[in-house]
Amino acid sequence: MITSVLVANRGEIACRVFRTCGELGIRTVAVHSDADANARHQRVADMAVRLPGAAPSETYLRADLVVQAAIASGADAVHPGYGFLSENPDFARAVLDAGLIWVGPPPEAIEAMASKTRAKELMGLAPLREVAQGDLPVLVKASAGGGGRGMRIVRRLEELDAALEGARTEAASAFGDGEVFVEPYIEDGRHVEVQILADTHGTVWTLGTRDCSLQRRHQKVIEEAPAPGLNPELTATLYETATRAARAVAYTGAGTVEFLVTGDQAHFLEMNTRLQVEHPVTEAIHGIDLVALQIRIAEGHALETPDPPHARGHAVEARLYAEDPASGWTPQTGTLHHLAVPPSVRLDTGYDDGDEIGVHYDPMLAKAVAHAPTRADAIRKLAGALERTTIHGPTTNRDLLVRSLRHKEFTTARMDTGFYTRHLPELTTTDPDPHAPLAAALADTQGRSRFGGWRNLPSQPQTKRYAMAGEEHEATYRHTRVGLSAEGVRVVHADARLVVLEVDGVRRKFEIARYGDQVHVNATTLTALPRFPDPTAQHAPGSLLAPMPGTVIRVADGLTEGAAVQAGEPLLWLEAMKMEHKITAPATGTLTALHAVPGQQVAVGALLAVVQPA
């Protein structure tokens, strides 16, 4: 019987495993890098062991250090979570060789399926050995890992070499394995997967289907179970293929078999030999705890029945990321001051209020899951909960999620993996509240005034300036004998935290929170601007500034000051949050300054280069 579990992971998945362990009466052990020294997952664990360093390659990808941590802490089992070492057969062997219980499939099964090239060969498929014009488009894909890292779409042959190099570099950094392969890229299919669970006594459960078609950069954003609109014959084929894959490698534990579905045809993609990020939607409709079942299987117990429990209702999950979808999905960093989601939905998160969102790891803040009797009910429930969610901190994809869930193509189950390629501009169109600057100004006035805003005589108009949705806005108001007034509205109430305005006979409440110059007014974020802008805080036209803190990993071959560049031409690459970000020339012209060098750590807003337009 397992009494203590070390989770060889971080963030949300570590916290989620710890929650189940706590319910089962199992002690918990966390490992953490120096960047995660105050992370939530190590705070909620019973014990924590430091892994010196910050980069994944120095910490969470060091199998030897993780095994040493398990032994030192007295853990008798290791749960790998997802990502990092979760699909590394050598790590699984090291855990078993140390006399510990491995909460996962046998190393041989991981080895057979964790490499996508070997998995395809096992399923009778093969990657492309040579690429010709007629094969395009193709997908360059990392053999190990997932989450969209180490993947590139190639539409022109001359782009292939650069795509291979970029995918290898990113895969090696994220997974410690730079092997990549090439396969045909099927555009606009649906990403459908089957959850399996197998014990050591020969029972294999297929726990329904999931649809994960809404993706950005090959990484899932919204998932649901069951996958809508599949005919019974196709569903049966998916179940049979998933079961065959599990039995082919004597699989045990939780795993997922993924497919690309076009029409009534299913194309095998891969088998993930671990728990998936989206496992909560399966748990919701089947009324089970997959982590608890993983632990029971690792202890040698058999699944209680030959067949899985019946599914009930529908579940939808949305991943809340600290990123800006309107700016190329750029990851965001900073302090998460406050996150509050209505209790009507399940929330899995690795953050508490006041935690820092750093540059080293994936920018996912949380997963929100809604379960309801029907798909329409689940979608409405989740969209409404996200709309009422309070997020004070960096920019997130929350508004994108709400709009995606309410988009007709999604509500009618006609979505595919090209959803964001087609609809991103309309989904990221800014619609800021026009009264937010006034509410912010009134709250700021009350918060800074010791005796309130009452005056015996009317005052001159007061103004405050804010940046909102990339534009400057000015709020004008007056102090009067009876309080505050503003043109076109009636100020019903104003204090530092709450402003109530009456507009055309309708009263509206504005909840205000301020952190430095950042002001949150309901769901709108503003930046308070100084009365007199600093004339030195300007950059020359054509300046390329770092969109996020990160590491310069590459500069374009032969790029030197004085070189001619074309608009959109890649000049250098940053690595942040395990993803590679391309910095391109903003215009056709001459590179007049190059400040970035490979290996350099840069802060957000750092000057990387200057291109003088032609």
Side-chain angles (χ1 to χ4, degrees):
M1 181 174 290
I2 293 173
T3 61
S4 178
V5 169
L6 178 143
V7 176
N9 220 293
R10 65 174 302 279
E12 171 267 328
I13 183 56
C15 295
R16 188 264 171 275
V17 175
F18 292 156
R19 184 173 69 243
T20 289
C21 288
E23 293 169 357
L24 297 176
I26 297 173
R27 292 191 303 274
T28 55
V29 183
V31 289
H32 67 88
S33 67
D34 290 340
D36 278 338
N38 194 42
R40 182 176 188 268
H41 76 275
Q42 68 88 18
R43 294 199 303 267
V44 301
D46 295 318
M47 290 181 281
V49 180
R50 175 186 174 229
L51 304 177
S57 59
E58 301 173 327
T59 54
Y60 298 109
L61 289 171
R62 284 284 302 274
D64 56 336
L65 296 183
V66 175
V67 171
Q68 289 173 21
I71 295 171
S73 64
D76 49 25
V78 173
H79 191 297
Y82 49 69
F84 294 133
L85 294 167
S86 63
E87 293 180 284
N88 186 313
D90 292 334
F91 176 55
R93 288 192 183 97
V95 170
L96 294 170
D97 290 345
L100 304 170
I101 298 172
W102 170 248
V103 185
E108 296 75 20
I110 300 175
E111 199 158 43
M113 286 294 188
S115 169
K116 296 174 180 63
T117 52
R118 289 186 283 277
K120 284 182 173 292
E121 291 167 357
L122 184 66
M123 300 299 290
L125 306 168
L128 296 176
R129 301 301 179 186
E130 295 182 5
V131 179
Q133 190 69 40
D135 297 318
L136 300 175
V138 296
L139 183 66
V140 178
K141 198 171 182 180
S143 291
R149 292 176 288 277
M151 297 176 70
R152 301 289 188 277
I153 299 172
V154 178
R155 301 185 185 278
R156 298 187 301 168
L157 278 179
E158 55 267 30
E159 298 173 350
L160 181 60
D161 287 343
L164 288 167
E165 180 182 358
R168 286 189 187 109
T169 301
E170 192 169 85
S173 173
F175 315 119
D177 184 347
E179 182 185 355
V180 299
F181 66 96
V182 181
E183 67 181 5
Y185 179 60
I186 302 173
E187 301 197 67
D188 302 337
R190 286 178 60 188
H191 187 118
V192 176
E193 58 192 33
V194 176
Q195 174 72 57
I196 63 168
L197 191 69
D199 62 22
T200 56
H201 302 269
T203 300
V204 177
W205 282 359
T206 50
L207 286 158
T209 56
R210 296 189 290 251
D211 189 295
C212 311
S213 298
L214 267 62
Q215 304 178 4
R216 92 303 189 250
R217 300 180 69 167
H218 310 292
Q219 194 164 25
K220 301 161 188 172
V221 177
I222 294 176
E223 305 103 339
E224 60 180 307
L230 302 182
N231 64 52
E233 293 78 13
L234 178 57
T235 301
T237 298
L238 297 177
Y239 287 172
E240 188 277 329
T241 304
T243 303
R244 179 160 48 91
R247 294 198 184 281
V249 293
Y251 198 84
T252 61
T256 298
V257 182
E258 301 193 343
F259 303 88
L260 194 62
V261 172
T262 54
D264 292 334
Q265 299 295 315
H267 309 269
F268 172 79
L269 286 176
E270 60 184 302
M271 180 178 182
N272 288 311
T273 55
R274 54 174 169 80
L275 201 64
Q276 293 279 88
V277 179
E278 58 273 19
H279 74 274
V281 292
T282 298
E283 293 182 323
I285 65 170
H286 287 280
I288 59 175
D289 184 329
L290 282 170
V291 173
L293 289 170
Q294 282 185 298
I295 291 172
R296 283 188 58 81
I297 289 170
E299 290 177 327
H301 297 287
L303 293 170
E304 294 181 353
T305 60
D307 299 313
H310 293 294
R312 297 178 184 275
H314 202 94
V316 186
E317 172 183 290
R319 303 189 192 186
L320 185 64
Y321 287 99
E323 66 184 8
D324 186 355
S327 300
W329 310 98
T330 308
Q332 306 292 297
T333 59
T335 303
L336 180 65
H337 298 289
H338 186 51
L339 172 63
V341 179
S344 57
V345 299
R346 167 178 168 176
L347 183 72
D348 286 9
T349 182
Y351 288 91
D352 286 323
D353 291 357
D355 284 351
E356 288 295 316
I357 304 165
V359 69
H360 297 284
Y361 312 111
D362 186 273
M364 188 175 76
L365 299 179
K367 303 179 310 196
V369 186
H371 181 220
T374 69
R375 183 174 188 267
D377 290 340
I379 292 172
R380 180 174 61 186
K381 184 177 181 180
L382 183 57
L386 287 169
E387 191 173 46
R388 296 190 300 275
T389 292
T390 300
I391 309 171
H392 297 162
T395 300
T396 72
N397 67 336
R398 187 267 304 278
D399 292 345
L400 174 92
L401 295 175
V402 174
R403 292 171 178 173
S404 299
L405 289 165
R406 290 174 173 167
H407 194 280
K408 187 175 181 180
E409 196 171 295
F410 182 76
T411 59
T412 57
R414 293 184 291 109
M415 65 286 180
D416 55 49
T417 56
F419 179 83
Y420 286 121
T421 301
R422 294 190 300 274
H423 301 300
L424 188 61
E426 65 189 86
L427 294 170
T428 54
T429 300
T430 56
D431 188 23
D433 191 322
H435 295 102
L438 175 60
L442 296 174
D444 185 58
T445 296
Q446 297 299 90
R448 292 171 185 267
S449 173
R450 182 180 175 187
F451 300 106
W454 187 89
R455 296 191 177 209
N456 189 41
L457 297 172
S459 69
Q460 294 298 313
Q462 305 293 308
T463 62
K464 291 185 182 294
R465 298 165 50 250
Y466 298 92
M468 181 174 70
E471 297 181 357
E472 184 176 318
H473 296 260
E474 188 172 83
T476 303
Y477 58 95
R478 288 177 181 269
H479 290 280
T480 70
R481 291 188 179 94
V482 294
L484 293 162
S485 70
E487 186 176 350
V489 303
R490 185 168 80 88
V491 182
V492 178
H493 173 83
D495 62 37
R497 295 178 177 272
L498 177 67
V499 172
V500 181
L501 302 178
E502 188 175 291
V503 183
D504 297 329
V506 179
R507 289 191 178 187
R508 295 186 55 203
K509 296 180 180 180
F510 298 86
E511 295 182 354
I512 317 294
R514 180 162 182 164
Y515 308 91
D517 291 334
Q518 191 179 75
V519 186
H520 296 273
V521 181
N522 291 345
T524 301
T525 302
L526 306 91
T527 301
L529 299 176
R531 291 184 61 190
F532 306 104
D534 182 359
T536 65
Q538 303 294 324
H539 291 281
S543 295
L544 289 173
L545 307 180
M548 70 210 76
T551 304
V552 178
I553 57 172
R554 279 197 291 155
V555 173
D557 292 341
L559 187 67
T560 58
E561 293 182 359
V565 297
Q566 298 293 315
E569 176 184 345
L571 302 182
L572 56 100
W573 288 260
L574 287 180
E575 183 182 71
M577 296 184 176
K578 299 194 292 183
M579 299 289 285
E580 187 178 290
H581 303 273
K582 182 167 53 179
I583 308 298
T584 60
T588 298
T590 303
L591 183 73
T592 57
L594 179 61
H595 300 283
V597 295
Q600 178 185 3
Q601 295 277 341
V602 295
V604 62
L607 182 61
L608 302 174
V610 179
V611 174
Q612 181 179 340

